[in-house]
Amino acid sequence: MRERTQKSKVEIYPYLLIAPSLFALLLLGAYPFIYSVVLSLYDINYAATGTAGHFIGLKNYLEILGDYAFWNSMLLTTVVALIALPLEFLIGFVVANLFNREFMGRKVAVSLILIPSVLAPVLVALIWKFLLAGTWGLLTYGFFNKIGLFKDSSIFGSPGYALIAIVAIDIWEWAPFSALVFLAGLQSLPVRPFEAAAVDGASSWQVLRHHTLPMLSPLFVIMGFIRLIDLFKIFDVIFITTGGGPGTSTETISIFLLRKTFTQWQLGQAAALAVIVFVIFFALCTIFFRIAQRRLKVF
Amino acid sequence: MERILKVVLVFGLLTFLCFPLNAFSWSYKEAAQPYKGVTIRYITEDTPINLALKEIAIDSFEKETGIKVAWERYPFSILKQKCEMDLFSKAGYYDCMKMYSFMTAMWINGGHVLGLDKFLKNPKLSNPKLGLEDFSQPIWDKMTLKRGSRIGLVYYNYAPIYYGRKDLLNHPAEKEAFKKKYGYDMAPAKTWDQVRDIAEFFTRKKGETLAGEVLADNFYGIVLMGKRHESTNMIWMDWVYTFGGSLLDKNNVPTINSQENIAATEFWKSLWKFSPPGTAEYDYVDILMSLLQGIAAQTINWADFAFPLEIPGKSKLAGRMAYGPIPVDPKHQIGAAIVEGVVPIISSYSKSKEATFLFLQWLSEKQIELKVAQMGLASPVRKAVWKDPSLTSSPFAAIYSAMKESLDNCVLVYGDPNFLGWPMINDYLSITLSEIGTGKKTVKEGLDAAQKEALRVMIPKK
């Protein structure tokens, strides 16, 4: 009997140790989420009533899912993520390989290429606004117009170009960070497999395909995960440069959420939107996770 | 009887003496005595006028009253969120904040704004020399009187005006060519037709001649605001109201796709071809930048952006601009300028209402408004300030005069507390105008869709 009590004490002890952290996590993570779910079931529309409203069940979800603007913003966010992520990785990996050899000024160069990634996103947005603004932007006026480009249009004022510019700015900002992470990965790879490959006369492409990429795959997965989450939350650059326009041509899900929340004050719908985005994103992450586990044997 | 008469006389004399003593002895120092050491929180927009506020009003108020003012400034979008979160959650962290006219319905109907009538009637708090009758009408009542109750005091306002390049409009060769083409003398535009003619006349390609000089870059007859932005909506409404249109009828039913509004928007859109290619991304700052860059002949913008153009040595356009009120449509001859209607109000949840009221009075004193105007930060609202010689004989007199004319014709579109749902309609309108500007929708398609949305929001199905 005494032995049993002793055993149960041992079993409870670890849980007691993690209880404070678990409680804090629940308070900070789960409570706001549950509160959002509750809000999403109410007609809270300050713009129309000036006050909070009543329980309406799933009506907010149906409104959001039936709203063209929601699907448009989801599509645009996906397009931005699907174009920006591979390009950031490609550029980052090429740059990492260039820096993975000794040359004069290498350390300074590594620090310099990191500048875009360490700048505050708002500053990044302002820099590009000043560079690409129609007619008075430094690059627009000083370069593009001189070579005959954007004479009768402007980058942030044209639906097609504006989205391309947003993707390009994101790549400019985050490709250096990918380069740094990949460089750290490359430098931590074991030397022997590469020496063996050299002895066997493997070509550079074979070394890359059969050694470097498989060994770096956990890093790719983790980075992909982090950047995908970031890209789905892209906000600052769009908010400052285009505000989601022209029309809704750069309105990603974060901008749409901002409209529903702080512009239109439809808090019930905004909460429903947040829950929908969470569910979609959770499903995507789970699929991503499973693929990484099965195909790449990571995690 | 004589004794009674003496008592009545003495009592009457004392009353007579006491009344003026009370009226003339009122001071902020004395009124603030019970609130000395109290801290009030004032949240405001990060604009030049509010940057200068410490120097203009806060330091002197703190010194005079002993009431501390914790003063925070944010860009408009953040300011709006902070204010509304504070009010809707009834937190009462901020005592005083700015209510822009398009927030009126939400804030008033939610009971978030404190009525000031009881303070204005309280002789201990109300400054008898504040001179409420000095505030210009109709702007004063339109801004601060809601459902019969005074909800704020003002110390400035923003109004849009017409800007034109005087040096080009008066250039002899250009004037002659203009008269030959259009059949009348060129001058700063008073009507929209003149705006259009001037815009068309001055839109020229690189290599052509302008005022005797060969152009190194394209030149544009007008620069317009077209960014998906609240300010674009407000400036667009200048066209709408001068064309005889409106957003609501007398029964508060939306009229966004009325014939007048469609005509006004068609006209507004027709000017885009004379505006630089960046129009769809331009807000009020971009307009200023384009003027400073010297690539446009005219614009419609907020009046306070005119002052940087007139600083000698810093602006190459100093002394070369003409200003005027919003032009009119010749058919309607309706003078209208959409004003922002910025009113400092007291939160219903403020914990220091009386001290905040004293601060509001201080802000709306004549000398504060005069300083604001002299520094070129915003349009005055007091009649006495408009007449002040420092303004009438100032180098900026032309700007003040245009501001005054604009304010005299002011329209406060959504200052009506019954205009519920405006934030949603405004948001939808900003997208619609951006789509019309970039050609994604025709004017009729865009305004029909906006009307449908407005009806859905304002008149929900039962």
Side-chain angles (χ1 to χ4, degrees):
Chain A
M1 183 68 183
R2 196 178 164 190
E3 196 180 308
R4 228 176 123 183
T5 316
Q6 187 72 27
K7 198 180 169 188
S8 69
K9 266 187 187 169
V10 171
E11 279 172 359
I12 290 169
Y13 190 63
Y15 295 105
L16 283 175
L17 283 177
I18 62 164
S21 313
L22 201 65
F23 178 72
L25 269 176
L26 278 174
L27 198 72
L28 295 173
Y31 175 73
F33 180 71
I34 293 165
Y35 187 63
S36 292
V37 174
V38 173
L39 278 186
S40 71
L41 303 173
Y42 281 81
D43 179 24
I44 302 172
N45 185 347
Y46 284 97
T49 61
T51 53
H54 56 280
F55 182 81
I56 52 165
L58 295 174
K59 200 178 166 202
N60 284 328
Y61 289 91
L62 296 173
E63 291 250 348
I64 290 288
L65 292 172
D67 190 345
Y68 165 78
F70 164 71
W71 294 106
N72 178 59
S73 65
M74 281 301 289
L75 177 71
L76 287 174
T77 312
T78 310
V79 167
V80 169
L82 289 181
I83 298 174
L85 189 64
L87 285 173
E88 279 170 25
F89 272 31
L90 185 68
I91 296 167
F93 190 70
V94 170
V95 173
N97 272 285
L98 289 175
F99 281 100
N100 193 27
R101 60 197 72 186
E102 284 302 324
F103 59 87
M104 210 172 74
R106 177 173 161 273
K107 285 181 181 171
V108 177
V110 169
S111 306
L112 286 177
I113 63 154
L114 262 183
I115 289 173
S117 301
V118 297
L119 289 174
V122 173
L123 197 59
V124 170
L126 286 173
I127 288 171
W128 283 100
K129 170 78 183 169
F130 279 111
L131 288 174
L132 299 180
T135 62
W136 62 266
L138 291 176
L139 262 181
T140 309
Y141 180 73
F143 178 68
F144 290 132
N145 286 355
K146 303 277 183 223
I147 59 167
L149 288 173
F150 304 114
K151 279 271 181 195
D152 301 313
S153 61
S154 83
I155 294 174
F156 294 128
S158 310
Y161 295 136
L163 194 68
I164 294 169
I166 298 295
V167 172
I169 294 169
D170 194 80
I171 293 170
W172 177 83
E173 188 181 2
W174 292 109
F177 180 67
S178 302
L180 184 76
V181 174
F182 295 147
L183 180 62
L186 285 172
Q187 294 194 336
S188 65
L189 294 180
V191 182
R192 284 195 178 173
F194 292 91
E195 285 174 348
V199 170
D200 291 342
S203 66
S204 302
W205 169 245
Q206 285 170 321
V207 172
L208 179 74
R209 192 170 165 216
H210 298 292
H211 279 350
T212 313
L213 291 178
M215 282 194 270
L216 282 179
S217 58
L219 202 62
F220 284 125
V221 171
I222 292 290
M223 269 295 286
F225 220 61
I226 294 169
R227 288 297 304 135
L228 199 64
I229 293 170
D230 267 354
L231 279 161
F232 264 82
K233 294 190 296 187
I234 187 168
F235 177 77
D236 310 64
V237 170
I238 300 176
F239 184 69
I240 288 170
T241 53
T242 65
T248 52
S249 59
T250 56
E251 186 174 281
T252 55
I253 200 74
S254 301
I255 300 283
F256 182 57
L257 188 58
L258 175 91
R259 270 178 61 204
K260 283 282 170 197
T261 315
F262 296 117
T263 308
Q264 300 186 357
W265 281 99
Q266 299 196 71
L267 295 190
Q269 280 196 18
L273 175 60
V275 173
I276 291 169
V277 171
F278 172 79
V279 170
I280 293 172
F281 208 71
F282 190 76
L284 276 176
C285 287
T286 309
I287 295 167
F288 195 80
F289 207 73
R290 287 280 158 83
I291 292 171
Q293 265 184 327
R294 285 184 192 167
R295 296 277 174 91
L296 301 171
K297 309 285 182 215
V298 294
F299 302 117
Chain B
M1 186 65 190
E2 199 178 329
R3 192 183 163 86
I4 294 169
L5 198 65
K6 273 183 186 171
V7 170
V8 169
L9 271 173
V10 169
F11 186 75
L13 192 65
L14 277 174
T15 312
F16 175 76
L17 283 172
C18 285
F19 175 75
L21 273 178
N22 180 47
F24 292 105
S25 67
W26 191 95
S27 71
Y28 280 96
K29 197 169 192 170
E30 206 172 304
Q33 202 59 36
Y35 317 108
K36 206 171 178 180
V38 164
T39 299
I40 57 171
R41 292 189 178 277
Y42 179 39
I43 179 169
T44 182
E45 195 180 352
D46 200 2
T47 52
I49 184 171
N50 294 311
L51 269 172
L53 206 60
K54 187 167 169 56
E55 178 197 329
I56 294 171
I58 292 177
D59 285 347
S60 51
F61 176 75
E62 287 183 338
K63 199 175 165 190
E64 180 75 14
T65 62
I67 296 169
K68 298 277 169 210
V69 181
W71 161 67
E72 295 178 25
R73 299 185 321 273
Y74 297 96
F76 176 72
S77 52
I78 297 170
L79 169 85
K80 185 171 170 285
Q81 288 170 25
K82 279 189 167 278
C83 291
E84 293 185 334
M85 281 194 283
D86 190 66
L87 293 177
F88 299 165
S89 65
K90 304 182 180 179
Y93 180 77
Y94 296 110
D95 299 287
C96 183
M97 55 188 72
K98 299 275 178 59
M99 184 176 78
Y100 291 76
S101 59
F102 53 84
M103 300 163 173
T104 304
M106 269 205 298
W107 291 21
I108 298 282
N109 286 291
H112 306 303
V113 180
L114 189 77
L116 301 185
D117 291 342
K118 68 172 181 179
F119 292 141
L120 287 165
K121 285 174 191 161
N122 182 343
K124 284 184 182 169
L125 286 171
S126 183
N127 178 2
K129 288 184 279 182
L130 191 61
L132 299 185
E133 67 288 344
D134 187 35
F135 289 105
S136 306
Q137 294 289 13
I139 186 77
W140 164 240
D141 278 351
K142 281 187 180 181
M143 281 167 77
T144 65
L145 198 65
K146 306 292 170 190
R147 291 188 177 141
S149 174
R150 197 70 66 188
I151 49 96
L153 301 173
V154 292
Y155 61 103
Y156 72 92
N157 191 40
Y158 291 125
I161 56 169
Y162 167 84
Y163 296 57
R165 282 279 301 272
K166 192 167 61 183
D167 55 337
L168 297 179
L169 297 169
N170 290 335
H171 191 275
E174 297 291 354
K175 273 180 95 79
E176 196 186 325
F178 184 90
K179 186 159 189 182
K180 200 174 170 187
K181 187 172 181 185
Y182 296 98
Y184 64 93
D185 286 327
M186 183 164 65
K190 300 271 182 209
T191 70
W192 288 122
D193 285 348
Q194 290 166 0
V195 168
R196 204 207 75 88
D197 290 347
I198 292 169
E200 183 185 56
F201 180 70
F202 279 116
T203 300
R204 295 173 197 185
K205 294 276 181 199
K206 175 184 173 182
E208 290 182 44
T209 307
L210 177 73
E213 287 180 23
V214 176
L215 286 167
D217 291 298
N218 291 346
F219 191 84
Y220 302 91
I222 191 166
V223 53
L224 294 168
M225 203 181 293
K227 189 177 180 177
R228 188 180 128 176
H229 195 279
E230 283 133 348
S231 211
T232 300
N233 299 6
M234 296 181 84
I235 298 291
W236 163 77
M237 282 178 218
D238 288 317
W239 272 271
V240 164
Y241 278 76
T242 46
F243 270 73
S246 65
L247 297 187
L248 289 179
D249 67 11
K250 285 172 188 168
N251 301 315
N252 286 329
V253 175
T255 54
I256 293 172
N257 63 347
S258 68
Q259 287 306 311
E260 292 84 1
N261 291 8
I262 288 174
T265 313
E266 290 282 8
F267 187 89
W268 172 74
K269 173 69 177 102
S270 74
L271 294 176
W272 276 55
K273 60 177 175 282
F274 309 123
S275 184
T279 301
E281 57 166 301
Y282 280 1
D283 61 17
Y284 34 76
V285 176
D286 296 282
I287 285 186
L288 177 69
M289 297 295 278
S290 297
L291 285 175
L292 283 168
Q293 203 185 351
I295 59 161
Q298 337 162 76
T299 193
I300 303 291
N301 200 2
W302 300 104
D304 46 317
F305 285 90
F307 293 97
L309 294 172
E310 295 297 335
I311 302 170
K314 287 192 177 175
S315 163
K316 62 181 180 182
L317 293 178
R320 293 165 64 188
M321 298 294 297
Y323 305 96
I326 298 294
V328 296
D329 174 45
K331 285 178 211 151
H332 296 93
Q333 292 293 332
I334 299 170
I338 309 303
V339 296
E340 274 198 338
V342 195
V343 185
I345 54 105
I346 302 176
S347 161
S348 291
Y349 319 106
S350 162
K351 288 150 190 100
S352 310
K353 296 180 176 75
E354 291 80 5
T356 311
F357 176 72
L358 289 174
F359 179 59
L360 279 197
Q361 286 190 113
W362 184 267
L363 284 179
S364 50
E365 289 284 350
K366 186 198 159 191
Q367 71 271 18
I368 303 291
E369 199 177 288
L370 185 60
K371 274 188 207 168
V372 168
Q374 283 168 339
M375 290 170 81
L377 298 170
S379 310
V381 187
R382 281 178 176 273
K383 286 176 264 184
V385 174
W386 285 118
K387 287 177 194 158
D388 194 276
S390 66
L391 262 59
T392 49
S393 60
S394 145
F396 302 136
I399 304 175
Y400 293 125
S401 167
M403 280 178 172
K404 172 91 172 70
E405 278 190 69
S406 241
L407 270 193
D408 288 344
N409 292 318
C410 74
V411 178
L412 208 66
V413 177
Y414 22 73
D416 185 345
N418 297 320
F419 206 161
L420 271 167
W422 173 248
M424 285 186 279
I425 300 167
N426 195 28
D427 183 46
Y428 198 81
L429 258 180
S430 63
I431 293 172
T432 300
L433 291 177
S434 175
E435 286 176 336
I436 290 172
T438 51
K440 196 179 172 190
K441 280 184 181 165
T442 65
V443 170
K444 179 140 181 26
E445 281 168 359
L447 295 190
D448 280 349
Q451 170 74 0
K452 200 173 156 190
E453 180 69 7
L455 286 171
R456 187 186 70 79
V457 168
M458 292 194 68
I459 308 170
K461 284 177 193 163
K462 288 182 182 168

